[in-house]
């Protein structure tokens, strides 16, 4: 049976390629890729874990942070509109405290605490500038099906039943080349006192703690096993890397003792994309932070997420409402049109197109003259112009010196806008082209408050995404 986009119910997001490597390696089955929608810039890995169809995407290389995560999630939801909930799986900085014995290679899972849904967004920049902490928002908690599966898994772990070692072992057996993801037995787990900063030992590399004073290491009891301990609580999410124990402890003190990890993506997801955040602890968010534990931490987080999916029934997942099925939205309803418009904007490339005169066609002068005629006189020779250009095979997506295409002008035409817009779309005009100010024809309709034209364009956009959203007619209804 061939799967379609609508068969995928779990959206899995990684921030780093090494996290995605673990996700791919722990799939029970890998599915063939589906044709990519032109406006979706994510790269997906599709597969199956415990009969759940999972779609995996990774943030663009080197671009971390909540905004990047939000863009990836929006595009994922726009393409895979039947996703029920998300998993954000990867590494994070641990927040050890007398109450929470968080160690390297442990797992921290977001869990609602008091008024928080599991993830707390903070703005570290403002915290520093104003000398005070500013909490930015309380983010949505995941659906109940997710939380009850977490409870079940938690109780299994309390009984000493964990499948994490099994999944790690299975991954290493199937992919013997992934040795760097094994437990880093030769690396130490050193937690230094908060007030003791990293010292560089010239011969050992900047990130090595060989030059650091061992008498300042916090004494912690030896554990019986190297298997990861799973902690449940709050995850603090912001756009800055926390790499100072003083900042870490101050922020977590202000947020409350339940903050167990700092990371940089989840806050971009939780509002529009309810998800469970799973963080393998790779450092202590202090100045001693290095990469020694990253690969293993990514692997344990992935193994936890896989075990979590073993506790979620496929049937229950089917019953969760879609996060957002934009194809079922109706662009003629104000609030729904806003949502589709948001998705349309998010689907476009970031930034404004560079001016490139070589792409502007030599016929632009003639064309512009005609266009200006329509623009300023209600009775322009529309049909003649269009027939001539289309019959002669000219490119309807030609730009002029402002980066505008004929469709941009038609949206601003004085009369019969819908008829003209429809004609151009039928002939292959592209409504996603931005002018040199970053406006697409859809944006112009938005600025003009032309609801009919904008609804029409958005309906056509939805239809063009391979999900027919009703017949497109000249009157936009
Ligand atoms: Zn150090």
């Amino acid at each position: 049976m061939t799967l379609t986009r609508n068969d995928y119910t779990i959206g899995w997001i990684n921030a780093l390629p090494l996290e995605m490597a673990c996700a791919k390696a722990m799939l029970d089955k890998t599915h063939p890729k589906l044709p990519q929608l032109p406006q979706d810039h994510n790269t997906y890995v599709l597969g199956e874990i415990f009969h759940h169809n999972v779609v995996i995407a990774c943030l663009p290389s080197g671009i971390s942070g909540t905004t990047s995560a939000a863009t990836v999630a929006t595009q994922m939801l726009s393409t895979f509109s039947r996703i029920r909930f998300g998993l954000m799986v990867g590494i994070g900085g641990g927040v050890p405290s007398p109450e929470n014995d968080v160690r390297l290679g442990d797992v921290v899972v977001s869990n609602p605490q008091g008024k928080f849904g599991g993830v707390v967004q903070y703005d570290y920049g403002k915290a520093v500038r104003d000398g005070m902490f500013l909490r930015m928002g309380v983010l949505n908690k995941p659906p109940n099906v997710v939380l009850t599966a977490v409870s079940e898994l938690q109780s299994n772990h309390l009984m000493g039943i964990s499948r994490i070692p099994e999944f790690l072992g299975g991954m290493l057996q199937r992919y013997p080349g992934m040795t760097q993801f094994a437990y880093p037995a030769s690396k130490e787990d050193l937690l230094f006192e908060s007030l003791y900063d990293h010292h560089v030992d010239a011969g050992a590399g900047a990130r090595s703690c060989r030059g650091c004073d061992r008498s300042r290491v916090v004494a912690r009891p030896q554990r019986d096993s190297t298997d990861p301990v799973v902690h449940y609580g709050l995850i603090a999410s912001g756009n800055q890397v926390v790499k100072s124990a003083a900042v870490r402890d101050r922020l977590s003190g202000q947020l409350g003792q339940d903050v167990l990890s700092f990371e940089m993506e989840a806050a971009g997801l939780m509002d529009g994309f309810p998800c469970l955040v799973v963080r393998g602890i790779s450092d202590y968010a202090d100045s001693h932070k290095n990469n020694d534990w990253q690969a293993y931490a990514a692997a344990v987080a992935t193994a936890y997420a896989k075990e979590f999916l073993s506790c979620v029934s496929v049937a229950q997942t089917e019953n969760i409402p879609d996060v957002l099925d934009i194809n079922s939205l109706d662009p003629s309803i104000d609030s729904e049109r806003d949502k589709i418009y948001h998705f349309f904007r998010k689907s476009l490339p970031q930034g404004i197109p560079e001016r490139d005169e070589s792409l502007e066609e030599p016929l632009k002068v003639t064309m512009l003259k005609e266009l200006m005629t329509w623009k300023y006189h209600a009775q322009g020779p529309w049909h003649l112009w269009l027939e001539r250009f289309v019959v002669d095979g000219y490119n309807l997506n030609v730009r002029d010196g402002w980066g505008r295409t004929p469709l941009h002008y038609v949206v601003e035409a004085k009369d019969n806008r819908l008829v003209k817009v429809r004609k151009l779309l039928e002939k292959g005009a592209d409504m996603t082209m931005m002018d040199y100010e970053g406006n697409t024809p859809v944006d112009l309709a938005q600025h003009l408050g032309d609801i009919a034209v904008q609804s029409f364009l958005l309906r056509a956009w939805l239809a063009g995404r391979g999900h027919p959203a009703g017949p497109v007619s000249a009157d936009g209804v």
Side-chain angles (χ1 to χ4, degrees):
M1 191 187 74
T2 312
L3 295 173
T4 69
R5 294 189 186 93
N6 289 345
D7 293 314
Y8 290 86
T9 54
I10 316 282
W12 177 306
I13 295 182
N14 294 128
L16 301 171
L18 75 89
E19 299 165 352
M20 197 187 205
C22 297
K24 283 157 81 170
M26 282 196 215
L27 287 172
D28 295 331
K29 270 186 206 159
T30 306
H31 296 161
K33 284 188 183 295
L34 291 170
Q36 186 82 2
L37 297 177
Q39 65 276 2
D40 185 341
H41 305 288
N42 289 341
T43 303
Y44 298 108
V45 171
L46 306 173
E48 201 176 306
I49 296 179
F50 289 104
H51 307 294
H52 294 280
N53 293 323
V54 180
V55 47
I56 304 168
C58 190
L59 267 51
S61 181
I63 307 176
S64 57
T66 56
T67 314
S68 180
T71 304
V72 167
T74 306
Q75 294 197 344
M76 179 188 271
L77 288 179
S78 146
T79 295
F80 296 89
S81 57
R82 305 307 304 277
I83 286 176
R84 307 307 207 284
F85 64 85
L87 291 168
M88 179 87 219
V89 186
I91 60 172
V95 183
S97 66
E99 294 79 19
N100 300 301
D101 182 19
V102 176
R103 302 196 187 181
L104 301 186
D106 279 357
V107 177
V108 168
V109 180
S110 65
N111 206 37
Q113 305 283 325
K115 61 187 169 179
F116 298 117
V119 173
V120 196
Q121 184 180 14
Y122 68 95
D123 188 331
Y124 176 62
K126 284 186 185 167
V128 169
R129 190 170 62 245
D130 304 338
M132 59 180 286
F133 176 73
L134 183 64
R135 191 174 295 158
M136 294 303 284
V138 180
L139 297 160
N140 276 346
K141 67 173 198 233
N144 276 338
V145 170
V146 170
L147 298 176
T148 52
V150 167
S151 299
E152 190 196 329
L153 187 47
Q154 198 170 1
S155 66
N156 290 347
H157 286 170
L158 287 169
M159 291 163 69
I161 308 165
S162 166
R163 300 185 68 180
I164 293 176
E166 171 196 333
F167 296 146
L168 286 176
M171 177 183 84
L172 295 171
Q173 213 165 23
R174 272 190 287 172
Y175 299 93
M178 294 181 79
T179 47
Q180 61 160 318
F181 292 89
Y183 180 79
S186 64
K187 307 289 184 186
E188 291 180 290
D189 174 1
L190 300 173
L191 171 62
F192 288 93
E193 294 169 8
S194 267
L195 296 175
Y196 180 72
D197 279 334
H198 182 63
H199 281 255
V200 176
D201 177 278
R207 300 312 320 157
S208 164
C209 281
R210 211 168 72 185
C212 292
D213 181 355
R214 296 300 168 110
S215 73
R216 309 296 298 272
V217 171
V218 177
R220 294 177 294 177
Q222 184 96 32
R223 281 188 182 166
D224 296 335
S225 150
T226 58
D227 289 343
V229 173
V230 183
H231 309 265
Y232 296 88
L234 292 180
I235 290 176
S237 184
N239 277 311
Q240 311 286 323
V241 185
V242 177
K243 45 186 172 187
S244 146
V247 172
R248 174 196 73 201
D249 291 347
R250 186 161 50 82
L251 287 176
S252 60
Q254 282 158 325
L255 284 162
Q257 67 182 40
D258 290 322
V259 169
L260 304 180
S261 176
F262 280 97
E263 57 90 273
M264 295 176 61
E265 283 83 25
L269 302 185
M270 300 300 283
D271 267 346
F273 192 12
C275 64
L276 188 70
V277 184
V278 181
R279 292 294 176 195
I281 300 306
S282 60
D283 58 68
Y284 291 117
D286 61 10
S287 56
H288 306 275
K289 182 179 165 69
N290 62 43
N291 298 341
D292 288 351
W293 286 73
Q294 278 191 357
Y296 175 70
V300 291
T302 311
Y304 176 91
K306 178 167 180 164
E307 189 176 15
F308 160 78
L309 285 179
S310 76
C311 296
V312 181
S313 89
V314 173
Q316 278 178 319
T317 308
E318 296 287 332
N319 288 334
I320 306 173
D322 305 336
V323 173
L324 180 59
D325 181 1
I326 64 163
N327 300 298
S328 72
L329 298 176
D330 181 350
S332 64
I333 299 169
D334 287 354
S335 58
E336 301 199 345
R337 188 176 55 256
D338 283 350
K339 278 187 195 158
I340 305 169
Y341 177 58
H342 168 79
F343 270 82
F344 170 79
R345 277 302 318 179
K346 284 277 188 181
S347 77
L348 301 172
Q350 301 289 307
I352 293 173
E354 289 278 322
R355 178 158 186 179
D356 182 350
E357 287 186 30
S358 67
L359 295 175
E360 294 162 15
E361 297 212 344
L363 277 167
K364 69 186 174 187
V365 179
T366 322
M367 188 186 76
L368 267 178
K369 218 167 96 186
E370 304 280 5
L371 285 168
M372 288 304 167
T373 313
W374 306 330
K375 202 176 163 194
Y376 294 108
H377 307 286
Q379 306 299 321
W382 158 257
H383 292 289
L384 288 177
W385 179 86
L386 184 67
E387 290 309 318
R388 201 175 74 233
F389 272 69
V390 172
V391 168
D392 292 351
Y394 292 116
N395 176 11
L396 275 181
N397 294 314
V398 61
R399 291 178 185 284
D400 68 10
W402 290 275
R404 290 186 150 207
T405 65
L407 192 57
H408 281 93
Y409 287 100
V410 161
V411 165
E412 292 187 335
K414 275 197 172 170
D415 67 345
N416 295 327
R417 284 185 297 277
L418 276 172
V419 178
K420 293 172 177 174
V421 164
R422 187 181 67 152
K423 277 260 180 200
L424 279 187
L425 288 186
E426 280 172 3
K427 300 295 180 190
D430 179 356
M431 75 179 86
T432 66
M433 288 183 71
M434 284 188 233
D435 65 19
Y436 298 145
E437 291 182 339
N439 289 312
T440 64
V442 182
D443 298 307
L444 295 184
Q446 167 84 5
H447 301 327
L448 292 167
D450 190 336
I451 290 170
V453 165
Q454 200 194 20
S455 297
F456 179 81
L457 285 168
L458 289 173
R459 195 183 293 272
W461 178 68
L462 287 174
R465 302 166 64 255
H467 305 276
V472 174
S473 64
D475 54 5
V477 293

